[in-house]
Amino acid sequence: LAAGILDGAAESLRRSQVAFEVYDETVADPPADQVHAAAGQARAMRADGVVGFGGGSSMDIAKLVALLASPGCTQPLDDMFGVGNVRAARLPLVQVPTTAGTGSEVTPIAIITTAPGTKQGVVSPQLLPDLAVLDGELTASLPPHVAAATGIDAMVHAIEAYTSHRLKNPLSDLLAREALSLLGANIAAVCAAGEGQPAGAEARGAMLLGSCYAGLAFANAPVAAVHALAYPLGSTFHVPHGLSNSLMLPHVLDFNARSEQATSLYAELAPIVCSRQLGECAASAAVAAGAFVDHFARLPAELGLPTTLREVGVAEADIGSLAANAMLQTRLLPNNPREVHLDDAE
């Protein structure tokens, strides 16, 4: 709100004589009590529609508010967690992302922090919006480090969808490759342009579209170990989701690349993001996959992001509990192209 990005939309609603209220208490990795507070506000005003305006956390809360505030909804939130458990109808829902990262505007998933170190997801077609609005200008106020973290988050969605062990399909592959192409070609320009710089407008639009494509990709082929390992960082240490994924990505890529399946898939993606390193000569799958892993090992530092857990307040003594909590992400880990055990996570 302080950045003023909601002002234009609010004024448009006022001119159209549409009554509305704003819930503005959302935090990263929102707890369930924020969902209930927002739903209570919507019920009190007898809302007949919901607009999610913001990053992934705001849009995830909007999805659940559209369910919980729907007239006649008697299903509690706790009964909705899991895949396909939603029985309630929802209010009309519009999603407007203001970061190029989560792709939440087009996914049937909402993630909520339910306990310290624990996140749970509601996965249901009812969470898909009636309308998603992409406006690159709404991302212009993002500081470069936020643009970098959310951009890598979107790239993780594309990579994990393309390599997903379950439900990977030609449509998700097409979306993931196009997403990675848009994101890889524009993330450096967006971060270099800086906050509010008009020179980055075209690149910001491309990043937002790439993020949306990546969201559509992982809505069809689910994400895996990067997210499973990142979730405890967010719920325990309140590390923003994009940065959590950025910290985990290089290590998961390196781990997965020791399997033949992942090596082959990483080699297919490598020309999209590291064609200069590969040159014009045909490279073996191992060489191409190695270049792909190396690219994402360097990228966070090149964009000015932290690259170690110590930099975000995690001590060596915390690793065991983080790994144990990651192993609870049984919705995600089976999607990884290489099986992950507790000693791997540690």
Side-chain angles (χ1 to χ4, degrees), residues 190-277:
V190 164
C191 297
E195 184 174 349
Q197 294 296 318
E202 184 175 345
R204 292 183 195 282
M207 288 292 293
L208 194 58
L209 185 59
S211 172
C212 181
Y213 286 166
L216 289 168
F218 88 84
N220 288 277
V223 293
V226 175
H227 279 74
L229 292 165
Y231 278 176
L233 281 176
S235 55
T236 304
F237 290 92
H238 306 293
V239 179
H241 176 67
L243 179 55
S244 297
N245 274 344
S246 175
L247 287 164
M248 293 296 102
L249 176 62
H251 305 287
V252 173
L253 291 181
D254 182 64
F255 171 80
N256 287 345
R258 299 171 205 174
S259 73
E260 184 176 346
Q261 179 187 6
T263 293
S264 175
L265 295 172
Y266 291 162
E268 292 174 9
L269 293 176
I272 298 174
V273 293
C274 47
S275 57
R276 288 185 181 178
Q277 295 94 312

Side-chain angles (χ1 to χ4, degrees), residues 5-331:
I5 57 175
L6 185 59
D7 294 350
E11 180 56 30
S12 177
L13 291 172
R14 292 188 189 100
R15 285 199 306 268
S16 300
Q17 298 184 329
V18 175
F20 67 94
E21 292 183 11
V22 176
Y23 178 81
D24 59 358
E25 301 298 323
T26 304
V27 298
D29 302 302
D33 60 0
Q34 288 200 342
V35 176
H36 292 303
Q41 182 175 334
R43 284 191 294 265
M45 70 168 292
R46 298 183 180 180
D48 55 11
V50 177
V51 177
F53 192 99
S57 295
S58 297
M59 290 189 286
D60 280 3
I61 285 184
K63 294 174 184 181
L64 298 175
V65 168
L67 288 171
L68 295 170
S70 178
C73 175
T74 59
Q75 184 179 10
L77 177 59
D78 286 349
D79 285 354
M80 296 180 182
F81 289 119
V83 180
N85 293 328
V86 173
R87 300 185 301 274
R90 65 158 174 79
L91 293 170
L93 176 64
V94 176
Q95 297 282 33
V96 186
T98 61
T99 65
T102 68
S104 183
E105 69 274 11
V106 291
T107 66
I109 305 164
I111 303 297
I112 298 297
T113 300
T114 54
T118 303
K119 291 186 180 183
Q120 288 185 270
V122 177
V123 184
S124 172
Q126 283 98 311
L127 299 185
L128 289 169
D130 299 291
L131 177 67
V133 179
L134 305 181
D135 182 351
E137 291 185 11
L138 294 176
T139 70
S141 63
L142 289 178
H145 73 279
V146 177
T150 57
I152 290 180
D153 182 23
M155 297 174 92
V156 171
H157 294 155
I159 294 167
E160 292 207 298
Y162 194 82
T163 60
S164 186
H165 185 63
R166 294 176 55 252
L167 304 180
K168 171 180 164 68
N169 60 80
L171 177 60
S172 65
D173 285 354
L174 181 69
L175 289 163
R177 291 176 65 90
E178 185 61 22
L180 200 59
S181 178
L182 287 167
L183 297 164
N186 290 282
I187 189 169
V190 164
C191 297
E195 184 174 349
Q197 294 296 318
E202 184 175 345
R204 292 183 195 282
M207 288 292 293
L208 194 58
L209 185 59
S211 172
C212 181
Y213 286 166
L216 289 168
F218 88 84
N220 288 277
V223 293
V226 175
H227 279 74
L229 292 165
Y231 278 176
L233 281 176
S235 55
T236 304
F237 290 92
H238 306 293
V239 179
H241 176 67
L243 179 55
S244 297
N245 274 344
S246 175
L247 287 164
M248 293 296 102
L249 176 62
H251 305 287
V252 173
L253 291 181
D254 182 64
F255 171 80
N256 287 345
R258 299 171 205 174
S259 73
E260 184 176 346
Q261 179 187 6
T263 293
S264 175
L265 295 172
Y266 291 162
E268 292 174 9
L269 293 176
I272 298 174
V273 293
C274 47
S275 57
R276 288 185 181 178
Q277 295 94 312
L278 293 174
E280 297 181 1
C281 299
S284 68
V287 170
F292 185 79
V293 174
D294 289 345
H295 174 79
F296 284 101
R298 296 191 306 271
L299 184 61
E302 290 174 354
L303 297 177
L305 294 175
T307 58
T308 66
L309 293 178
R310 185 178 295 108
E311 291 174 83
V312 295
V314 179
E316 186 174 354
D318 300 314
I319 299 299
S321 63
L322 288 172
N325 284 329
M327 297 307 296
L328 298 176
Q329 300 299 325
T330 54
R331 180 178 63 86

